[in-house]
Amino acid sequence: MKSSLIYLFCILIQFVNGFGLLLGVFLDPVGFLQPFFEEDLTTYAEADFLIFWTQGIVDVTAAHMIGVGLLLLVLRSFRLENRVNKQVFAAFGAFHGCTLLVALYNHLFQGGGPPPFIGVLLIIQAGLLIYGWKKAID
């Protein structure tokens, strides 16, 4: 698979994840948070504070995802040689691996984690980055 195609898929996944988080937490914050609570979230007295606090964390995370997508867009425009592209995929793969480990830990041990759609996209992106690191071509 060509390096430019791997960049394009990773850029799209970053944008979909970032904008998806933003839309979820600002358009329907109760629906976004409800899966993490056993009772109805609206019955909590602190629900407004909890939503405000969560929006503050999620918007930073989403902006970070969009920013990484823009960084990859700039790197894609440089037309780097194959060896450098593989190094970029390896570096971004290491960074992405840390994000994936935190998401997996939160899902398994904290009762949270990313929404399922975003989690699947993170796993797909990790596979693309590993493939790009090992076998990408110009």
Side-chain angles (χ1 to χ4, degrees):
M1 185 183 300
K2 292 185 131 306
S3 296
S4 61
L5 193 58
I6 295 172
Y7 275 118
L8 183 64
F9 285 141
C10 289
I11 290 165
L12 289 174
I13 288 172
Q14 287 296 121
F15 285 161
V16 166
N17 284 346
F19 287 116
L21 283 174
L22 284 177
L23 289 174
V25 80
F26 285 109
L27 293 181
D28 186 18
V30 174
F32 185 77
L33 294 174
Q34 188 60 54
F36 304 110
F37 293 89
E38 292 177 5
E39 299 175 21
D40 187 19
L41 181 61
T42 56
T43 62
Y44 288 101
E46 302 86 13
D48 289 338
F49 174 74
L50 184 64
I51 289 170
F52 179 72
W53 183 77
T54 304
Q55 285 174 335
I57 292 172
V58 172
D59 66 355
V60 171
T61 304
H64 182 265
M65 288 180 167
I66 294 167
V68 169
L70 291 173
L71 175 67
L72 291 174
L73 185 65
V74 170
L75 287 174
R76 181 178 182 255
S77 70
F78 287 158
R79 305 280 185 227
L80 304 170
E81 63 183 51
N82 196 36
R83 180 184 58 82
V84 176
N85 279 330
K86 287 183 177 189
Q87 291 173 342
V88 168
F89 293 140
F92 184 55
F95 169 77
H96 186 73
C98 293
T99 305
L100 199 56
L101 284 175
V102 168
L104 185 63
Y105 175 81
N106 285 340
H107 179 72
L108 294 175
F109 300 112
Q110 300 297 323
F117 179 70
I118 291 177
V120 168
L121 287 178
L122 288 174
I123 292 169
I124 290 170
Q125 188 173 25
L128 279 171
L129 291 169
I130 291 170
Y131 179 83
W133 172 42
K134 292 293 185 182
K135 298 187 179 184
I137 57 172
D138 283 339

